[in-house]
Each structure stands twice: as C-alpha cells, then as structure tokens.
Amino acid sequence: MTPDEALKLQISGRYSELLRSALDEQSRAQAEGRKPDQFTWTLFVVKACRFIGRTNEAIVHAGHGMELAKELGGPAVLAQAQFGLAVACKCARRYDEALDLLRSAAQTLPTAASEETRAAILLETAETALEAGQRKDAATALTRGSAIVHWLGEPRLLAWSLYLRSQLEEVSPADLQLTAAYEIARTVGCPELQWQILWRLAERAEQYGRENMQEEFTHRAIDILARLAAPLHPSDATPFWRQGARRHFVELTQKRYGAEFLKKVMLAPPIDPGHTPGLMRDMGWDPSLIPEFIRAKLASQVQRP
C-alpha cells in the first residue's frame, strides 16, 4: 500500500481497512529499519485509531511517532508528529493540550513545507477550538487556513473549511456554505464530513420551522454513521459512536427523538444519498448556486486519473 492509497481509505471512511494496512506497513518498515516509512505509517495508524474511537491506542502510537520524529530530526517531521499527538488528545477531549500542540505544529512547520499540511493543521485547530467553545481562536485559525485552502483549491479541504465557516456565520451565508460543502464532500466521497454537514442542515431546518425536514436530515446523518460503523469489529462499535462530535450528535438526537429513533434508522434500508441535494432544494438551498470557482476546482479534481 502507498500513502496515497491509505489517504483514500481514510477519506472514504474505511477505517478498519486503513488500520490493518497501516499496522502491517508500520511493522514491515520497522523490521526493515526504514524509520521514515515507519513514521509515516505510524501517523496513519493514529488517524485510523482516532476515527474508530480507539483513544488510548491513538495516544500510544502518537507518542511513538513523537519519539521517531526526535530520532529522524527536522522541523517538518516534528510538526507532523505534534499534529498526530494533537488529534489523539482531541479524541480524548483533552482540548487545551490538543490546541497547544496544534499551535506548536503550525509554528514549527517550515516555510517550505507542504501547504496542504499547513492548511490541515489550521483547520484542525479551528475545529478543535470550536469543540472547546473557543470561537475567537477558531475564527483566527480558520481565517488563516481558509486563505491557504482557497489558493490550493483542494476540494476536501475546501469542503471542510466551508463547513467550519458555516458555524461562525449568520444564517444566510451559512446556508450557502453548508450547501457548497455538502456538494463537494458528496462528490469527492467524504462520508465523515457529509454526516456532520447533514447535522448542521438539520439544525438549519429547525430554525426555519421545518421539523419533518429536520428529522430527514438527521436520519440521513445517522444512516451514514451506521454505514461507517458496519465494517468495524463489535468491540469498536461503542467507542466509534462515542468519539468526538458523534457523541454530541447522538446525545442531542436521543434527547429529541428518543433511543428508538436510532434503532429505527439502523434497521431501515440504506438511504440513497443522491436524493439529498433535492431535499436541500426543497429548503431553498440550491447546490447549483455554489460559487463557480468552487465548481471549477471540484471538476478538475474529479477528472484526475
């Protein structure tokens, strides 16, 4: 497996497969004394554990990544290790520690380093700050990260930045940002982002007094999460649903609809995600109205081999 293939597994939500493959590659690199490759695969292990909800394992592997970074040397490697440990701490809801590590990573990353990595660190900082209730810090990191993303035109990061921006904007601009973010995330196949956007769309529907639409968007968000959880080992099911934003979403859903709603969704036939843009248009949020520069960037990305 190559790192590009591993990233595709991560984006598509195939977390168990990513973890198995990354652990295999990590062990192979360690046995063959290829420490740079061992470091790379250790970070993928951290990401897989983070999305599955294996918090303790994520922290252990992230700590190992920090030790490897010290052996390898160089600010770029150290920044990536700090980034990995930060997301593991975020998984454990150790927000202050995570934010300190993310800020350090952003400062440590050399000027000549990958701008995609820099943008990801800043967007992760914004998301973590939002979860921690630190909106001012979130806005600062998001402004910096969004500027880089706009220049890069990388669709997944663009969708992420628009989604985060929607949480800091007034209702009308936020609607357009959520619509654009969903269309991009759906096109590039990023279910982890899709369900979160659907959650926010459900909140918007509630603000407009559209309770049936709110329930439909909530149903679709849970359906995506259920499909992500389906391939996991049974022992990972509870940690998965209790990880990060998922925990908050499930708690709010159960409070509003009751636990039986979750069971009903999980037992129902899979939902066709292609119908979601139609629901959005019913709410007056037309995906065809997303800015042309976003559409052009998305088209060029999708056409790549």
Side-chain angles (χ1 to χ4, degrees):
M1 172 169 288
T2 67
D4 284 345
E5 290 170 337
L7 181 59
K8 289 178 181 178
L9 291 179
Q10 177 192 322
I11 293 171
S12 63
R14 294 155 63 184
Y15 303 133
S16 291
E17 189 176 346
L18 172 62
L19 181 58
R20 287 193 299 271
S21 299
L23 284 170
D24 287 345
E25 295 292 346
Q26 180 195 50
S27 298
R28 189 175 297 112
Q30 182 177 11
E32 296 173 0
R34 295 181 283 111
K35 287 193 175 180
D37 290 336
Q38 184 184 350
F39 175 74
T40 296
W41 291 110
T42 296
L43 294 185
F44 273 114
V45 171
V46 172
K47 293 173 184 177
C49 288
R50 174 237 187 136
F51 285 113
I52 291 173
R54 294 187 180 186
T55 302
N56 292 336
E57 288 182 50
I59 290 173
V60 169
H61 283 284
H64 181 50
M66 287 291 292
E67 293 302 317
L68 283 170
K70 292 174 184 177
E71 293 180 37
L72 292 169
V77 173
L78 178 59
Q80 291 180 58
Q82 291 172 326
F83 187 13
L85 183 55
V87 297
C89 289
K90 178 187 174 185
C91 187
R93 290 184 287 174
R94 289 156 46 180
Y95 294 122
D96 289 342
E97 190 174 348
L99 286 168
D100 285 344
L101 284 162
L102 287 165
R103 292 176 187 125
S104 180
Q107 293 170 359
T108 302
L109 197 67
T111 305
S114 164
E115 288 299 285
E116 193 166 319
T117 299
R118 193 182 312 279
I121 290 172
L122 289 167
L123 294 183
E124 192 72 60
T125 303
E127 184 173 277
T128 305
L130 279 171
E131 286 192 25
Q134 300 180 23
R135 292 176 65 85
K136 184 177 179 180
D137 289 344
T140 299
L142 183 56
T143 297
R144 293 177 58 201
S146 295
I148 299 172
V149 170
H150 184 92
W151 174 73
L152 287 172
E154 204 287 319
R156 181 177 61 90
L157 294 180
L158 185 57
W160 190 11
S161 67
L162 288 168
Y163 163 71
L164 293 173
R165 177 61 61 188
S166 73
Q167 297 179 58
L168 297 169
E169 296 282 6
E170 297 298 327
V171 172
S172 183
D175 289 348
L176 180 58
Q177 287 158 351
L178 283 171
T179 301
Y182 183 82
E183 184 69 4
I184 297 168
R186 182 180 69 86
T187 304
V188 300
C190 186
E192 191 68 57
L193 189 53
Q194 283 177 262
W195 80 259
Q196 294 182 74
I197 296 170
L198 288 168
W199 173 18
R200 302 304 175 185
L201 287 171
E203 293 179 338
R204 291 285 186 267
E206 181 180 24
Q207 292 174 3
Y208 288 115
R210 303 288 294 274
E211 292 188 1
N212 289 341
M213 197 67 73
Q214 178 189 8
E215 181 174 336
E216 184 66 27
F217 282 128
T218 302
H219 187 149
R220 288 169 182 270
I222 295 172
D223 181 71
I224 290 174
L225 282 170
R227 282 188 276 119
L228 287 173
L232 300 177
H233 188 276
S235 63
D236 287 324
T238 297
F240 174 86
W241 286 96
R242 299 181 69 178
Q243 194 276 324
R246 298 177 199 139
R247 179 192 186 105
H248 185 48
F249 171 61
V250 169
E251 287 175 350
L252 289 176
T253 300
Q254 289 180 321
K255 183 177 180 180
R256 182 176 182 85
Y257 300 109
E260 291 302 314
F261 180 78
L262 294 176
K263 295 178 182 178
K264 180 181 74 174
V265 172
M266 292 180 193
L267 292 174
I271 295 175
D272 181 359
H275 293 161
T276 302
L279 289 172
M280 293 161 68
R281 279 190 287 270
D282 290 343
M283 287 294 297
W285 308 328
D286 191 347
S288 69
L289 298 178
I290 66 175
E292 186 57 37
F293 85 92
I294 295 178
R295 217 168 263 289
K297 293 288 187 182
L298 184 57
S300 65
Q301 182 76 14
V302 172
Q303 289 171 5
R304 291 179 187 175

